[in-house]
């Protein structure tokens, strides 16, 4: 067996447990709204963005970046109850996901570690797709729950995972980890790293607490290891 794969198996066995979700079974607490019920301002905003199909009759052709237009995710159907909040949130999310200063690969590595730490099945499922598009392999995604100590990460990838964990655990990056980040990234990128972790932590809190369901066809949370 490949030595790296053998070590991953050993780490998995050592940390084997069922990943804890919530203390209760997830239930839908806020009824999702269909696009026909949305505020016209939100419909207009999404039409201008052009990445979401607002009806089954719309053409699912790719947008200008080659991304297929999909039906609205279930999270959007939930937060549509608050259009004044979701409108600026879409602008913020677009900066993080499409106009970021760190690479998509680095951003998705952080997003998936956040989803794992927060045990957010919705965020995990959607970001597996985004991560694959960003160049992460299935093998790399599978070892994200094992964290920075798993074999195979580059030095900076380990540092990003450490930063995500520290922010999750105590909302602060240690001097040691910050020094390693600062040696690789400029100040704009350092700020973005903090915001990426913050954004997906916030969204995990929203979907976990409001009961947003992950749609069919997406990867479920793995259960091979407990969060660090």
């Amino acid at each position: 067996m490949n030595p790296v794969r053998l070590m991953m198996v050993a780490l998995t066995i050592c940390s084997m447990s069922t990943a804890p979700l919530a203390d209760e079974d997830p239930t839908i607490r806020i009824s999702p709204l269909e696009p026909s019920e949305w505020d016209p301002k939100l419909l207009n905003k999404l039409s201008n963005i052009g990445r979401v199909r607002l009806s089954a009759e719309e053409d699912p052709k790719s947008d200008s970046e080659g991304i297929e237009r999909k039906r609205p995710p279930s999270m959007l159907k939930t937060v549509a109850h608050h259009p004044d909040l979701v409108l600026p949130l879409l602008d913020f999310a677009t900066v993080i996901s499409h106009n970021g200063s760190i690479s998509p690969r680095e951003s998705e590595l952080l997003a998936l570690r956040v989803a794992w730490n927060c045990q957010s099945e919705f965020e995990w499922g959607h970001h597996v797709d985004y991560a694959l598009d960003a160049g992460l392999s299935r093998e790399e995604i599978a070892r994200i729950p094992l964290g920075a100590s798993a074999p195979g990460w580059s030095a900076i990838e380990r540092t990003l995972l450490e930063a995500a964990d520290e922010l999750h655990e105590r909302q602060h990056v240690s001097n040691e980890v910050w020094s390693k980040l600062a040696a690789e990234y400029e100040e704009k990128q350092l700020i973005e790293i903090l915001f990426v972790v913050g954004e997906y932590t916030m969204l995990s809190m929203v979907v976990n607490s409001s009961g947003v369901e992950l749609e069919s066809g997406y990867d479920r949370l793995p259960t091979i290891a407990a969060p660090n």
Side-chain angles (χ1 to χ4, degrees), residues 19 21 26 74 112 115-116 119-126 128-129 138 141-142 145 212-224:
L21 293 170
S74 51
L112 281 172
W116 173 256
Q119 289 293 280
S120 174
E121 189 157 80
F122 180 90
E123 288 297 313
W124 178 270
H126 280 264
V128 165
D129 278 9
R138 281 281 179 184
I141 292 170
V212 173
E213 292 187 319
L214 178 62
E215 306 90 339
S216 62
Y218 291 94
D219 285 43
R220 300 297 182 187
L221 268 170
T223 57
I224 61 169

Side-chain angles (χ1 to χ4, degrees), residues 8 30 108:
M8 286 181 63
I30 299 177
E108 291 307 321

Side-chain angles (χ1 to χ4, degrees), residues 96-208:
I96 293 295
S97 62
H98 290 84
N99 302 313
S101 61
I102 63 174
S103 72
R105 176 187 171 87
E106 292 165 326
S107 185
E108 291 307 321
L109 183 67
L110 289 169
L112 281 172
R113 186 59 183 173
V114 169
W116 173 256
N117 282 336
C118 295
Q119 289 293 280
S120 174
E121 189 157 80
F122 180 90
E123 288 297 313
W124 178 270
H126 280 264
H127 281 280
V128 165
D129 278 9
Y130 302 150
L132 290 169
D133 289 341
L136 273 80
S137 68
R138 281 281 179 184
E139 184 179 16
E140 289 172 323
I141 292 170
R143 69 171 180 254
I144 286 174
L146 300 176
S149 61
W153 300 122
S154 69
I156 192 57
E157 288 168 343
R158 286 196 300 272
T159 301
L160 288 170
L161 291 168
E162 289 169 348
D165 287 352
E166 290 188 346
L167 287 167
H168 177 75
E169 292 163 6
R170 51 196 181 101
Q171 299 77 55
H172 175 74
V173 177
S174 66
N175 288 337
E176 178 185 358
V177 171
W178 185 264
S179 294
K180 290 188 286 187
L181 289 174
E184 293 288 335
Y185 297 105
E186 61 185 42
E187 290 173 338
K188 177 180 180 180
Q189 294 172 312
L190 292 170
I191 291 170
E192 186 173 319
I193 288 167
L194 302 177
F195 269 104
V196 168
V197 174
E199 180 198 10
Y200 294 121
T201 299
M202 173 186 69
L203 294 180
S204 294
M205 292 165 64
V206 171
V207 296
N208 287 356

